Amino acid sequence: MEKENIAVGLDIGTTKIVAMIGKKNEYGKLEILGVGKSKSLGVARGVVNNITQTIQSIQQAIQEAENNSGYKIKDVVVGIAGQHIRSIQHTDYISRSNPQEVIGGDDIQLLIDQVNKLAMLPGEEIIHVLPQEFKIDGQSEIKEPIGMYGGRLESSFHVVVGQASSIRNVGRCIQSSGIELSGLTLEPLASSDAVLSQEEKEAGVALIDIGGGTTDLAIFKDGIIRHTAVIPFGGNVISDDIKEGCSIIEKQAELLKVKFGSAWPGENRDNEIVSIPGLRGREPKEISLKNLSKIIHARVVEIVEQVFAEIKAYGHEDPRKKLIAGIVLTGGGAQLKHIKQLVEYITGMDTRIGYPNEHLAGDSDEEFSSPLYATAVGLVMNSIENKTQSAVRKGAEISPPKVASYLPPVDEDQDRRQEEQEETENKNSRKKEESTGDKIKRSFFDRYVDKIKDFLDNAE
């Protein structure tokens, strides 16, 4: 019987930590088996600042997901974000010793390795090198150079850079929670897998993921990621502004934003007022919804303008770089009322809200098709692509007692030999199936995960 490919994604956000267990059903859609959610303590603007609290929050989310699904989690694919992430465009080339030989995967790997040696600022490391378009002997706009002839192979690269210590801290938290790290994915890329269609990526689209602590941007054109950025503002700064502006506590500010908040002040009439209970027998506070909207509007405009500055920096005004599919908003902040209209007004670009429901099985809980879960869904999809067996059914690992006494004696060596042979065959078949191009695209962070694991093992 074929083993179930159970995948697990872990979204470590500033406001919440989500552990999601899923598998592909017979129609190729994602069936969610269990979700665990906990309040994120110890993470600020996407960066771990308290190891102990983060470990507790991760364990709580993992435990809840295991209880809901009946599966035991072994390893997870984790999303990486935070204000320390930045991206650069870089062009590099290699001169091939024999132009009469066809270009192979080794040549591309050599070019990527060369980019990986770029000098970075102290404490920074390259975590992701993505080839964009290739140029062979001056011939440009080549998407697949493998199999072609040429002496000079050149490519433009999208290079994602981050603070090594921040990423290692995430690795430490996961390891200390009693689970393994099977993969790392840039969170805007995970969200894009969940909410964008291939047509949008081809036409040109900007994905804006408004989280609690940060707002992530990923720009696609011609099916290739062109630009990524992390803006260190999110939904939490809006709540802080409400707290200060209305002189109320944080919990009330968050509730006000979710229930009555709007990014468009013109919507509310002057006489619309909400009453907030006073603290410890004090008089209730009356807050005008128009004032509330003005506070929210001012901060959302600031966030959107910073994102739009990044879109301009990519060069979307150039006709060749035009983003025909416009903007897609996702993340918890995308649920704010009238935010779509405000983004359209500021940027002049078509905008829609991105829901991950396109990839979910029909019988999935409606809650999981919310933009709030876009990153978690994308991480599970990434884990499925990596063919990880990240969770096992509880009790499946324990063999039932007494049955063995009724069975004929087993030649354990023969069983072991057969398993080893099957494993070798599987590896070989995987090697044959995978083209060199796929090797590059298969996992952005494969080698980086190994580097983190080595670092953590040595640190002990």
Side-chain angles (χ1 to χ4, degrees):
M1 188 180 134
E2 197 184 323
K3 274 187 182 175
E4 285 182 303
N5 177 18
I6 307 297
V8 183
L10 184 69
D11 174 15
I12 301 175
T14 307
T15 46
K16 65 176 190 338
I17 290 178
V18 177
M20 189 177 274
I21 306 176
K23 66 171 183 180
K24 256 192 181 168
N25 66 11
E26 63 268 38
Y27 307 108
K29 296 287 185 186
L30 179 62
E31 189 181 320
I32 294 169
L33 303 169
V35 173
K37 199 166 97 173
S38 66
K39 192 167 168 41
S40 182
L41 304 168
V43 180
R45 291 192 173 163
V47 179
V48 174
N49 63 3
N50 186 319
I51 294 273
T52 314
Q53 285 185 328
T54 307
I55 291 166
Q56 285 171 358
S57 297
I58 290 172
Q59 284 172 332
Q60 198 181 324
I62 293 283
Q63 181 101 45
E64 194 183 313
E66 287 181 341
N67 293 343
N68 288 345
S69 65
Y71 282 84
K72 178 91 181 116
I73 294 173
K74 295 190 298 181
D75 56 62
V76 292
V77 168
V78 178
I80 286 292
Q83 59 190 39
H84 61 93
I85 300 284
R86 67 186 182 94
S87 68
I88 51 174
Q89 294 297 120
H90 176 73
T91 303
D92 218 323
Y93 74 93
I94 54 165
S95 296
R96 300 179 66 237
S97 53
N98 187 359
Q100 305 305 317
E101 270 184 23
V102 292
I103 293 166
D106 293 344
D107 295 308
I108 292 169
Q109 196 56 55
L110 193 66
L111 192 50
I112 289 170
D113 290 343
Q114 199 163 291
V115 177
N116 272 308
K117 289 173 189 159
L118 278 176
M120 288 292 126
L121 296 171
E124 280 191 335
E125 271 186 28
I126 291 174
I127 50 178
H128 172 36
V129 172
L130 189 64
Q132 308 228 296
E133 279 159 342
F134 292 89
K135 201 188 256 190
I136 300 169
D137 294 345
Q139 183 190 341
S140 58
E141 293 184 18
I142 295 167
K143 286 192 178 174
E144 180 56 274
I146 292 172
M148 297 178 82
Y149 291 96
R152 178 185 162 112
L153 177 64
E154 193 178 332
S155 177
S156 53
F157 291 92
H158 182 75
V159 183
V160 179
V161 181
Q163 287 288 343
S165 56
S166 298
I167 296 160
R168 283 171 185 155
N169 285 339
V170 171
R172 161 67 65 213
C173 291
I174 285 155
Q175 202 177 48
S176 303
S177 303
I179 46 178
E180 287 295 313
L181 181 64
S182 68
L184 280 165
T185 299
L186 197 62
E187 289 202 350
L189 296 181
S191 305
S192 71
D193 285 344
V195 302
L196 297 181
S197 67
Q198 194 52 43
E199 287 86 355
E200 283 176 317
K201 289 181 182 179
E202 288 287 342
V205 67
L207 176 77
I208 303 172
D209 186 342
I210 307 168
T214 58
T215 298
D216 304 334
L217 170 72
I219 296 177
F220 292 84
K221 179 77 178 171
D222 300 327
I224 300 168
I225 185 150
R226 301 293 181 179
H227 188 78
T228 49
V230 178
I231 285 105
F233 297 113
N236 285 4
V237 286
I238 300 171
S239 301
D240 286 344
D241 287 358
I242 297 168
K243 185 178 83 172
E244 299 298 327
C246 302
S247 303
I248 53 177
I249 60 170
E250 199 174 324
K251 196 177 172 184
Q252 291 172 336
E254 185 64 31
L255 272 170
L256 261 184
K257 180 182 79 176
V258 173
K259 284 200 163 184
F260 303 103
S262 164
W264 202 269
E267 279 295 309
N268 301 109
R269 287 190 293 276
D270 292 334
N271 61 352
E272 285 182 300
I273 283 169
V274 64
S275 183
I276 301 269
L279 296 175
R280 279 283 179 120
R282 291 177 179 84
E283 287 291 306
K285 256 196 175 73
E286 290 193 338
I287 289 160
S288 152
L289 290 190
K290 198 169 191 71
N291 285 344
L292 175 70
S293 291
K294 279 178 181 171
I295 294 168
I296 293 170
H297 175 81
R299 182 60 86 174
V300 175
V301 166
E302 188 188 347
I303 293 170
V304 174
E305 280 177 347
Q306 284 205 33
V307 174
F308 194 39
E310 287 286 347
I311 295 172
K312 281 178 181 168
Y314 149 76
H316 97 106
E317 283 158 358
D318 178 341
R320 288 173 304 168
K321 292 183 170 184
K322 194 169 168 58
L323 304 177
I324 297 163
I327 290 172
V328 176
L329 296 170
T330 193
Q335 297 179 114
L336 188 62
K337 231 185 288 175
H338 304 120
I339 192 164
K340 171 185 174 295
Q341 289 86 335
L342 181 64
V343 171
E344 281 183 339
Y345 177 72
I346 293 171
T347 64
M349 295 165 79
D350 287 342
T351 305
R352 74 170 178 90
I353 307 293
Y355 299 93
N357 51 1
E358 187 191 323
H359 300 283
L360 298 178
D363 57 352
S364 296
D365 192 324
E366 208 172 299
E367 187 193 352
F368 306 137
S369 62
S370 153
L372 203 70
Y373 291 100
T375 304
V377 169
L379 291 170
V380 175
M381 287 166 65
N382 189 277
S383 181
I384 287 171
E385 271 175 40
N386 291 352
K387 294 192 164 45
T388 45
Q389 182 60 35
S390 299
V392 288
R393 210 180 278 278
K394 281 186 181 175
E397 62 268 47
I398 305 160
S399 52
K402 294 184 183 175
V403 177
S405 56
Y406 302 109
L407 297 172
V410 175
D411 180 352
E412 287 180 7
D413 285 348
Q414 189 185 334
D415 273 8
R416 197 184 67 248
R417 281 196 301 274
Q418 197 173 335
E419 275 177 24
E420 283 172 2
Q421 192 182 337
E422 280 175 13
E423 203 171 311
T424 313
E425 282 172 10
N426 285 343
K427 272 184 189 169
N428 290 340
S429 69
R430 275 203 299 272
K431 273 181 192 168
K432 281 174 198 166
E433 284 165 18
E434 205 170 52
S435 74
T436 320
D438 289 341
K439 273 183 202 165
I440 298 163
K441 295 169 195 162
R442 184 188 44 190
S443 173
F444 300 116
F445 296 101
D446 269 1
R447 288 193 299 173
Y448 200 76
V449 171
D450 294 338
K451 210 191 282 186
I452 290 171
K453 283 178 182 170
D454 290 345
F455 173 82
L456 293 173
D457 291 344
N458 295 334
E460 285 166 12

